[in-house]
Amino acid sequence: MKWLFKREKEDKIWWVDKGEEIGVWEFTFDKKKFYNLFRDYPEKLSVEEWLLFNEENPYWAKFFEKANEDYEMEHYEELKYKDRPHPATLLQ
């Protein structure tokens, strides 16, 4: 059985508690589509979902820092960082 909960009352993300199942971290934004943290983050999230997830979960954003850098480079145009250089130029 799944239980949904928010870590903070004002959070938009719901976390899934699967009771006896250990080591599975799942979350949802709409209680319909579920993501597995270690399998789906960040690749399967939309830019909006990715930004929201990182805002509400700074620990996990830091934990997946390298994957987030790759995601940021891949979705640069969608993120519209007009005041920052393209991340790929920083690697040269």
Side-chain angles (χ1 to χ4, degrees):
M1 178 174 220
K2 289 184 181 181
W3 299 87
L4 298 176
F5 68 95
K6 292 184 178 184
R7 294 201 170 141
E8 302 292 335
K9 184 178 180 180
E10 62 278 354
D11 282 355
K12 303 266 189 278
I13 296 171
W14 293 87
W15 287 91
V16 179
D17 181 347
K18 291 183 140 188
E20 299 295 320
E21 194 169 351
I22 297 173
V24 177
W25 294 81
E26 291 183 351
F27 60 95
T28 180
F29 296 91
D30 60 7
K31 298 183 185 178
K32 295 176 186 169
K33 184 175 182 181
F34 291 84
Y35 296 99
N36 179 296
L37 180 62
F38 292 100
R39 184 183 63 227
D40 301 330
Y41 178 87
E43 295 87 7
K44 293 188 180 176
L45 276 64
S46 70
V47 168
E48 294 79 15
E49 291 170 335
W50 179 74
L51 290 168
L52 177 60
F53 184 92
N54 289 346
E55 180 182 322
E56 289 188 10
N57 299 282
Y59 171 83
W60 288 116
K62 178 70 175 163
F63 183 88
F64 291 109
E65 187 171 25
K66 174 63 175 127
N68 281 325
E69 289 171 4
D70 294 344
Y71 186 93
E72 185 176 28
M73 286 177 37
E74 185 177 323
H75 297 278
Y76 175 75
E77 292 302 319
E78 292 174 80
L79 292 166
K80 296 181 173 62
Y81 289 138
K82 297 179 183 185
D83 60 335
R84 295 173 57 188
H86 191 287
T89 63
L90 301 174
L91 300 176
Q92 299 174 356

